[in-house]
Amino acid sequence: MTEAVTQMQKKSPMPLSAFQQSRRMRFLWLVAPVVLAPILLAESGWPQGSTFREMLEFAGTVLIFMCIGGRCWASLYVGGRKNRELVTTGPYAYTRNPLYFFSALGLAGVGLTFGSLILSAFLFAFTCLVFSYVAMREAIALDAIFGEAYWRYCRSVPAFFPRLRRDDDDLLGPSPVTFDSVALRRTSIDSSYFLAAILAVELLGWFQSAGLVTPMFRLF
C-alpha cells in the first residue's frame, strides 16, 4: 500500500496541477462577465463621501489586503510541495483550501470598495459555490495520492470556511515553512489583481462623475 501511494505521488502531481489550472481558468472566464456587467452598468446606492460609504470602502480594502496576505501565507507552506506532501500546518490547519477562501474574501472586498453590500455578498457567495465545486473535484485526486491520510485530515479540518481553533494532536505531521520563490512570486502576481480592482473601481467612479458612463441602476 505504501509503495502504491508513493508511486501515485510521483505520477500524479503534474496531472492534478493541470486539472487545477484548467478549473481556475474556467472560473475566471465564467466570473469575468458576471462581475463586470453589474459594475459597469451600476453605481453605489450610498452617496460618495458619506460616512457609511467610506466605511464600506475601508472594509473592502482591509479584506483585499487580508486576501493578499493570506494567499502569500498559504504559498509559504504549500509552495514546492503541492501534491507531493500533505500540508496540514499554517493556514492548512484551519481550512483545507486557504487560497480559495482568501480569494473569496478578496472578491467580497472588491464589492465593498464599489460601495455595495449586495455586490459584495453576491461575489462572495458565487465564489464560494464555484470554489467549493472545484475543491470537491480536487479531493478525488488528492484521495488517489494520499489515501487514508487525506481523509483523516478531512475529518479534522473543514474544506472551506476556517475553524476558529486547531488542535495540535490532529495534525498528521510536521510541515515546515519553506520559501519557494517561484510559487511566492506567482501568488503575489495573482494577488496583485485584487489591488488593480481597487484602481478600476476608482476609475469607474471618475468616469461616472464626469458623465462618460451613465449608470442604469444602483446597488446598495
Side-chain angles (χ1 to χ4, degrees):
M1 178 65 180
T2 302
E3 292 182 5
V5 172
T6 302
Q7 291 177 358
M8 297 187 75
Q9 288 179 346
K10 294 180 179 179
K11 295 179 180 179
S12 298
M14 291 304 295
L16 183 57
S17 178
F19 171 83
Q20 291 172 335
Q21 183 65 25
S22 174
R23 288 293 180 184
R24 287 169 182 166
M25 291 304 296
R26 290 180 186 178
F27 166 74
L28 292 176
W29 282 107
L30 178 64
V31 77
V34 177
V35 172
L36 292 177
I39 290 180
L40 293 176
L41 299 177
E43 65 177 347
S44 173
W46 313 100
Q48 184 67 43
S50 64
T51 301
F52 190 71
R53 174 75 175 272
E54 295 292 333
M55 290 174 59
L56 289 180
E57 294 177 356
F58 176 77
T61 302
V62 170
L63 286 182
I64 288 175
F65 278 102
M66 286 178 61
C67 163
I68 295 173
R71 284 175 57 84
C72 291
W73 181 31
S75 180
L76 287 175
Y77 279 83
V78 77
R81 296 201 307 273
K82 178 180 267 186
N83 309 326
R84 293 177 174 83
E85 298 179 30
L86 185 58
V87 181
T88 62
T89 54
Y92 291 89
Y94 300 93
T95 169
R96 301 200 303 270
N97 296 281
L99 288 170
Y100 293 162
F101 173 73
F102 285 115
S103 295
L105 285 187
L107 285 174
V110 171
L112 291 179
T113 59
F114 182 77
S116 172
L117 292 171
I118 294 176
L119 181 60
S120 177
F122 169 76
L123 291 178
F124 184 76
F126 181 77
T127 306
C128 287
L129 288 175
V130 173
F131 279 150
S132 294
Y133 171 75
V134 174
M136 179 180 64
R137 298 298 300 270
E138 290 177 351
I140 299 174
L142 292 172
D143 175 40
I145 299 174
F146 300 110
E148 178 59 27
Y150 175 69
W151 290 111
R152 289 204 307 270
Y153 174 54
C154 290
R155 288 192 290 270
S156 299
V157 179
F160 195 80
F161 292 99
R163 56 180 178 175
L164 298 180
R165 61 181 299 275
R166 66 176 184 140
D167 298 322
D168 292 335
D169 58 355
D170 63 10
L171 301 179
L172 302 180
S175 182
V177 177
T178 60
F179 184 83
D180 187 309
S181 59
V182 175
L184 186 59
R185 181 170 63 251
R186 186 187 306 117
T187 301
S188 299
I189 293 174
D190 292 343
S191 300
S192 67
Y193 292 121
F194 290 96
L195 289 178
I198 298 178
L199 299 178
V201 169
E202 292 294 328
L203 185 61
L204 177 61
W206 183 84
F207 283 151
Q208 291 178 348
S209 62
L212 299 177
V213 175
T214 302
M216 299 180 62
F217 56 93
R218 293 182 175 181
L219 288 175
F220 287 90

